[in-house]
């Protein structure tokens, strides 16, 4: 079983739409969760961190459900510039073979059209 | 100013010819990671250093080696590149990957795109 699973999409939405991505993780000991954004042929860049139940930053909201082991990212009022791949990233926890490791989902591709 | 710097940005190497990719950081972070990313795939962790403590992933081929001579620098050596090793190689750092919260946030370099001919 993969450490992090994401629906690869693609998601194609019009400007102004609200779109949500989900991600599940397998290691219940994981403590830190992130959403990264990756543009074509560029490096991943940190979009949001989630350490408790959720985090909001402008049009972006990330939520964490530890009981069900999933993380979500909600983008409101989508802009053309939001078109990118969104990567769910999970820290491997504080012990065992996953100690200190960061695991990536394969990413969800978003295209926002005018 | 770039905080994680990878060199070169683009590398072309011949099949079987050893190649070294470099990464440097100005963040003084304890942890340095090497990831391999192929088209439309998730970045795959090859190994990471927690300070001087080297951690290899079980499925990382022996063809891949790494060195971290000091806090700031980390190298990825590919001893005999094959066509299947063509990919983007990403270096990342975090303050303390074994901690929690902001200490585990990772910062990436721009990557080295490796072509094997």
């Amino acid at each position: 079983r993969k450490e992090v699973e994401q629906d690869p999409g693609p998601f194609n939405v019009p400007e102004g739409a609200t779109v949500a991505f989900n991600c599940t993780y397998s290691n219940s000991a994981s403590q830190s969760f992130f959403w990264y954004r990756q543009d074509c042929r560029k490096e991943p860049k940190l979009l949001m961190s989630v350490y408790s139940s959720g985090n909001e930053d402008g049009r972006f909201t990330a939520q964490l459900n530890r009981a069900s082991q999933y993380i979500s990212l909600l983008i409101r009022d989508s802009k053309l510039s939001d078109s990118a791949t969104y990567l769910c990233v999970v820290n491997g926890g504080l012990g065992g073979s996953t100690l200190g490791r960061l695991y990536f989902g394969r990413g969800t591709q978003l295209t926002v059209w005018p | 100013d770039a905080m994680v710097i990878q060199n070169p940005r683009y590398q072309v190497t011949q099949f079987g010819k050893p190649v070294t990719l470099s990464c440097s950081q100005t963040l003084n972070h304890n942890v340095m990671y090497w990831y391999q990313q192929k088209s439309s795939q998730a970045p795959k962790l090859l190994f990471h250093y927690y300070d001087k403590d080297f951690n290899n992933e079980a499925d990382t081929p022996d063809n891949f080696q790494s060195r971290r001579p000091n806090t700031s620098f980390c190298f990825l050596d590919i001893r005999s590149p094959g066509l299947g090793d063509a990919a983007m190689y990403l270096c990342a750092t975090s303050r303390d990957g074994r901690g929690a919260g902001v200490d585990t946030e990772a910062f990436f370099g721009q990557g080295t795109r490796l072509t094997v001919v």
Side-chain angles (χ1 to χ4, degrees), chain A residues 42-101:
Chain A
K42 298 287 183 67
E43 77 278 18
K45 292 189 177 178
L46 181 63
L47 178 66
M48 296 188 74
S49 304
V50 188
Y51 306 125
S52 57
S53 60
N55 190 14
E56 184 172 328
D57 183 4
R59 298 182 295 109
F60 299 86
T61 301
Q63 292 197 312
L64 167 65
N65 184 318
R66 287 188 186 272
S68 301
Q69 294 182 205
Y70 81 78
I71 315 126
S72 64
L73 177 68
L74 183 76
I75 305 175
R76 290 180 296 276
D77 189 22
S78 299
K79 311 292 185 190
L80 297 178
S81 58
D82 293 334
S83 297
T85 297
Y86 291 84
L87 297 161
C88 176
V89 182
V90 176
N91 179 272
L94 301 179
S97 63
T98 60
L99 174 65
R101 289 158 167 81

Side-chain angles (χ1 to χ4, degrees), chain A residues 36 38 43 49 51 100-102, chain B residues 33 35 37 42 57 97 105-106 109:
Chain A
Y36 279 74
Q38 186 172 29
E43 77 278 18
S49 304
Y51 306 125
R101 289 158 167 81
L102 281 176
Chain B
Y33 303 89
Y35 286 87
Q37 187 177 27
E57 295 303 293
E105 291 179 2

